[in-house]
Amino acid sequence: MLVYAAPPVDASAPLPSGRRRLLVPAVLFAAVSITVALGVLHVQGLLPASVPSGDEPFNYLGYERVLRHVQPDGDVDFSSMGRERQELDRFVRSLATFSPHSRPEVFATPEDALAYWLNAYHALVLQQVVDGYPYLESVEQPWLGRFFWGRSWPVGGTRMTLWSLRHRVLGREFADPRVHLALFDGTRGGPPLGGSHFQPEFLDAQLNEASRRFVGDKRNVRLDRDTVHLARLFDTYREDFLAALPEGRRSTVLQFVWAFLPDTCEERPGCDTRSDLDRACGPKLDKCKLVFEKEDTSLPDAAARPPRTSER
């Protein structure tokens, strides 16, 4: 019986021109798809990172010393902070080992976890500002919001960006809209940085105080007859604020604002009070027009800045 043997295939032989034309775009498409997928994983903080062994227990002592450069009005002496950045860098390095995701036994309560993520976010913002100082003048300076997604840090087994920490962790794991009024983004117009770190045992009081401080600032909430001028973040995170309200009071974000307005202006002369809002906007707070103001994204820099030399 005759057996047909196929001729040997020459692997070095060139592909037909038609197949080459199809192969090139296929390879390019695959490369682009992989790049896009890695980019998405990077922004969302889903790329893996090693978890170093911790040489000492996790604590906030060094980070608390960093915060002494925050002034009572919320401005930050970034110049002085930069000269003592060893403490800041040491705390940021500790985030690679300790997090509620990698070491849940260290952060046993929801308050422990939320305080950790708030402090971690602020420390990473500060480190990035200090790294760019004095040439960084605004968080908008890096194009397309890259300040918040362009850089990642190892945090408890993953490489996290500021975007992923805010939206994927704080936004999804903690349904507390007060976080939006307490989270320092490195801007003069946003929530100011406190002079002390968030502490689990006092967290509820600290979040309430941060919310009262933000709402009580005329730059963020200002009543002008039948118009209320609000910070833009009340529009950006409107659904989060409304979801926190009781049934029947979710018609307007002013219901949330009202809860943190003062009853009197003894401490802040000339402020707007709950009664002022009631009289202007009606018992349901639905009679006023809302205007959302653009945020000042410049750095809250307390130090005198050196003049910039012209580039040649």
Side-chain angles (χ1 to χ4, degrees):
M1 181 170 105
L2 295 175
V3 178
Y4 173 76
V9 177
D10 184 359
S12 64
L15 292 173
S17 59
R19 292 180 63 185
R20 283 202 305 272
R21 284 195 295 270
L22 293 175
L23 184 60
V24 170
V27 171
L28 289 175
F29 176 79
V32 170
S33 298
I34 292 172
T35 301
V36 170
L38 289 175
V40 171
L41 293 174
H42 161 80
V43 172
Q44 301 231 351
L46 295 173
L47 294 175
S50 61
V51 180
S53 59
D55 296 330
E56 54 187 50
F58 180 79
N59 65 76
Y60 296 108
L61 296 178
Y63 177 58
E64 180 69 17
R65 288 191 285 270
V66 170
L67 294 178
R68 69 184 179 180
H69 299 289
V70 180
Q71 300 187 349
D73 62 359
D75 280 357
V76 183
D77 190 342
F78 293 112
S79 180
S80 296
M81 187 177 289
R83 289 194 293 270
E84 295 186 31
R85 65 168 301 156
Q86 294 86 356
E87 296 283 8
L88 177 60
D89 293 343
R90 186 178 297 113
F91 177 70
V92 169
R93 284 195 300 271
S94 75
L95 304 179
T97 300
F98 296 94
S99 91
H101 294 166
S102 63
R103 298 288 296 273
E105 73 280 2
V106 178
F107 308 95
T109 69
E111 291 77 16
D112 288 322
L114 180 52
Y116 170 92
W117 292 117
L118 290 169
N119 291 321
Y121 186 91
H122 287 168
L124 298 181
V125 168
L126 290 175
Q127 189 185 66
Q128 183 155 224
V129 171
V130 169
D131 284 347
Y133 191 85
Y135 301 104
L136 181 71
E137 298 176 353
S138 166
V139 298
E140 288 189 339
Q141 203 169 318
W143 55 277
L144 297 177
R146 192 162 52 89
F147 182 90
F148 297 101
W149 59 260
R151 181 176 177 180
S152 66
W153 294 261
V155 180
T158 57
R159 295 200 63 87
M160 304 199 77
T161 62
L162 291 172
W163 188 97
S164 66
L165 219 165
R166 175 163 195 160
H167 296 283
R168 186 171 65 80
V169 177
L170 287 167
R172 295 181 188 176
E173 297 183 15
F174 304 94
D176 191 334
R178 294 176 299 174
V179 166
H180 299 307
L181 307 183
L183 208 58
F184 173 68
D185 269 333
T187 66
R188 187 176 293 281
L193 185 65
S196 181
H197 71 285
F198 288 99
Q199 304 173 56
E201 58 271 31
F202 305 119
L203 185 59
D204 188 63
Q206 287 179 305
L207 289 174
N208 281 335
E209 177 55 31
S211 299
R212 284 191 290 266
R213 183 179 183 184
F214 187 81
V215 168
D217 191 326
K218 299 282 281 187
R219 295 173 298 178
N220 304 321
V221 178
R222 179 170 58 86
L223 181 61
D224 182 13
R225 297 185 180 181
D226 63 348
T227 299
V228 183
H229 297 263
L230 296 175
R232 182 68 56 86
L233 68 77
F234 284 113
D235 187 36
T236 303
Y237 301 105
R238 185 197 301 254
E239 295 305 316
D240 293 344
F241 293 118
L242 295 179
L245 296 170
E247 290 288 345
R249 295 181 59 191
R250 298 179 179 176
S251 58
T252 172
V253 73
L254 287 181
Q255 296 282 2
F256 188 92
V257 171
W258 183 92
F260 291 101
L261 280 174
D263 289 318
T264 67
C265 289
E266 293 179 1
E267 295 183 4
R268 294 187 178 97
C271 74
D272 293 317
T273 66
R274 293 177 178 178
S275 298
D276 294 332
L277 204 62
D278 288 335
R279 284 192 294 269
C281 304
K284 296 184 179 179
L285 303 181
D286 58 354
K287 305 296 184 184
C288 283
K289 174 185 176 183
L290 302 184
V291 176
F292 298 99
E293 303 290 349
K294 184 178 180 181
E295 180 180 336
D296 179 0
T297 59
S298 62
L299 295 181
D301 186 8
R305 308 199 63 157
R308 298 186 63 181
T309 57
S310 58
E311 297 181 359
R312 296 182 178 231

